[in-house]
């Protein structure tokens, strides 16, 4: 499946995915996160989408599962008082400088501290190596907005790393 074909499917599915998220959480921001998550997963499996009989039904099921996962994660987060990143920063302060593996682990933990939408955009760009246009199509937002959000995410990560002594 080409990028253009996927963009067409993403545009068609996006309203339905947003509806599932809104119905479950009654929150536009969370609905947006759910829609983006499903579209990212579909992007990752775009080569196999042609084998799916009803893509819309499949995507809606994915959205419902993502809603349940988000609900569970929210409940688990409330039970946790200290985040992994804070623990890593504290360990780093007592041990000293980090080696490359520890630094990468700390960066991954810091990325998890970003808001969901920034995490997704950061991972799409830096790990999945998607370009700004592809991210904009999957996320359903403008290219300039993607660039601005990526810049904001990088600034937040740099600040977190500075506070932890990693930079």
């Amino acid at each position: 499946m080409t990028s253009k074909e996927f963009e067409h499917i993403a545009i068609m599915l996006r309203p339905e995915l947003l509806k599932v998220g809104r119905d479950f959480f009654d929150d536009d921001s969370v609905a947006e996160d759910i829609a983006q998550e499903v579209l990212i997963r579909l992007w990752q499996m775009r080569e196999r989408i042609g084998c799916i009989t009803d893509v819309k039904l499949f995507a809606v099921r994915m959205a419902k599962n993502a809603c349940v996962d988000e609900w569970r994660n929210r409940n688990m987060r409330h039970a946790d008082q200290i985040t992994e990143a804070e623990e890593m920063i504290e360990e780093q302060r007592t041990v000293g400088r980090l080696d490359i593996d520890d630094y990468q682990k700390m960066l991954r933990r810091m990325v998890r501290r970003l808001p969901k939408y920034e995490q997704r955009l950061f991972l799409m760009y830096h790990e999945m190596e998607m370009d700004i246009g592809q991210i904009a199509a999957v996320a359903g937002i403008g290219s300039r907005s993607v660039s601005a959000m990526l810049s904001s995410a990088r600034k937040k990560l740099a600040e977190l790393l500075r506070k932890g002594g990693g930079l």
Side-chain angles (χ1 to χ4, degrees), residues 6-124:
F6 181 81
E7 286 177 32
H8 176 72
I9 290 172
I11 290 169
M12 179 189 72
L13 292 175
R14 185 170 188 65
E16 190 66 31
L17 300 175
L18 287 169
K19 181 182 180 319
V20 170
R22 276 190 207 108
D23 289 349
F24 198 93
F25 288 104
D26 196 29
D27 182 339
D28 287 342
S29 175
V30 178
E32 182 65 39
D33 288 345
I34 296 298
Q36 285 184 16
E37 183 175 331
V38 171
L39 290 172
I40 290 168
R41 288 180 187 169
L42 287 171
W43 170 262
Q44 290 171 330
M45 60 182 292
R46 67 190 175 279
E47 299 303 323
R48 299 181 310 237
I49 288 180
C51 300
I52 299 170
T53 307
D54 188 344
V55 176
K56 181 179 176 184
L57 183 63
F58 182 73
V60 167
R61 173 57 56 201
M62 288 175 73
K64 289 178 181 179
N65 289 340
C67 288
V68 171
D69 288 346
E70 178 62 23
W71 181 80
R72 286 180 183 151
N73 287 337
R74 284 175 175 218
N75 287 337
M76 289 174 66
R77 273 185 248 141
H78 291 294
D80 251 351
Q81 294 300 319
I82 300 175
T83 66
E84 289 179 33
E86 289 168 338
E87 291 172 1
M88 185 71 170
I89 289 170
E90 189 57 37
E91 287 174 26
Q92 190 261 336
R93 284 185 182 138
T94 60
V95 173
R97 296 307 268 167
L98 298 172
D99 66 15
I100 298 243
D101 288 337
D102 288 337
Y103 185 78
Q104 288 174 338
K105 287 177 188 174
M106 187 170 84
L107 180 60
R108 284 187 198 102
R109 288 181 175 140
M110 297 287 181
V111 168
R112 287 194 293 252
R113 291 186 73 186
L114 294 172
K116 283 279 188 192
Y117 67 92
E118 287 181 348
Q119 284 180 39
R120 289 189 183 104
L121 295 178
F122 186 86
L123 294 173
M124 281 190 276

